[in-house]
Amino acid sequence: MTRRTEWPGSDAEPAPDPGAGPDYGTGSGGGFGEGAGRRARSRSRSSGSPSSSRAEKGEPRDPVEQARNICLRLLTGTPCTRKQLADALRKREIPDEAAEEVLSRFEDVGLIDDSAFADAWVESRHHGRGLARRALVRELRTKGVDSAVIDEAIGQLDSEQEEETARELVARKLRSTRGLDRDRRLRRLAGMLARKGYGEGMALRVVRQALEEEGEDTEGLEEPF
């Protein structure tokens, strides 16, 4: 019912003060009483999504659907190899048959591509972190990439490019070693290259040349360290 507003000076009762707030009486007219509150709480409890109702009843979910959702969620965050996804499904106790069906389907449509993953990994980790081929091979193996796929991806890098990257790494690190004696500089720079997968011979050659360009006496640095 619409409240009729009376102007000052009329005989009607004045309208309630708006600042006083609504009248939460127990009558049924306004719909705000205790009965209405119980009805609202009852409707709230009974209104659940179908999926939540099924979960509460303990109905089993389709393992294929479950595997598909897990894979899609993981691939949304970052590229993954087939082995990484298979390990994730096994950890979540997805049956092998369902996991194999989903993984094979994802490979067919290109959502899983270990070859593309390996190519991108080599490109990113070499140019971004300066890792050498040996370190890249080790990382790709831990991710379950096939050896033939790794060899093809590592073929992007030749020895000249690898050595050039090693020189750039040493040049960036060289300044921080100034003030140290020659042997300590050598160990620090060569150790940095070794941790990134560079061989001993290449590391010695690159560091020796960098020190010579700074005027260091490199006599006696011919032997492996």
Side-chain angles (χ1 to χ4, degrees), residues 1-6 12-24 30 32:
M1 176 181 299
T2 304
R3 178 182 297 173
R4 187 178 62 184
T5 302
E6 299 290 341
E13 293 182 13
D17 181 4
D23 180 12
Y24 296 115
F32 292 103

Side-chain angles (χ1 to χ4, degrees), residues 122 126 130-134 136 153-168 193 197-199 201-203 205-206:
V122 169
H126 178 73
L131 298 187
R133 287 176 290 184
R134 185 166 59 184
L136 293 168
I154 294 298
Q156 299 177 39
L157 300 177
D158 56 33
S159 58
E160 292 181 2
Q161 183 177 356
E162 192 174 49
E163 184 164 335
E164 179 61 29
T165 302
R167 294 185 191 283
E168 293 172 359
L193 291 179
Y198 292 89
M202 179 184 290
R205 183 170 62 254
V206 169

Side-chain angles (χ1 to χ4, degrees), residues 104-154:
S104 296
R105 177 58 180 163
F106 275 35
E107 277 189 327
D108 290 342
V109 300
L111 290 175
I112 300 176
D113 189 339
D114 282 5
S115 180
F117 177 94
D119 289 343
W121 188 267
V122 169
E123 176 73 16
S124 172
R125 299 287 282 177
H126 178 73
H127 293 288
R129 297 288 303 278
L131 298 187
R133 287 176 290 184
R134 185 166 59 184
L136 293 168
V137 168
R138 184 167 57 247
E139 288 187 342
L140 288 171
R141 282 177 178 166
T142 63
K143 296 184 178 300
V145 180
D146 184 76
S147 296
V149 175
I150 293 176
D151 290 343
E152 186 175 351
I154 294 298

Side-chain angles (χ1 to χ4, degrees), residues 51-66:
S51 59
S52 62
S53 298
R54 288 196 300 268
E56 292 174 357
K57 293 178 181 178
E59 296 181 7
R61 295 180 58 188
D62 178 10
V64 172
E65 177 189 355
Q66 203 170 4

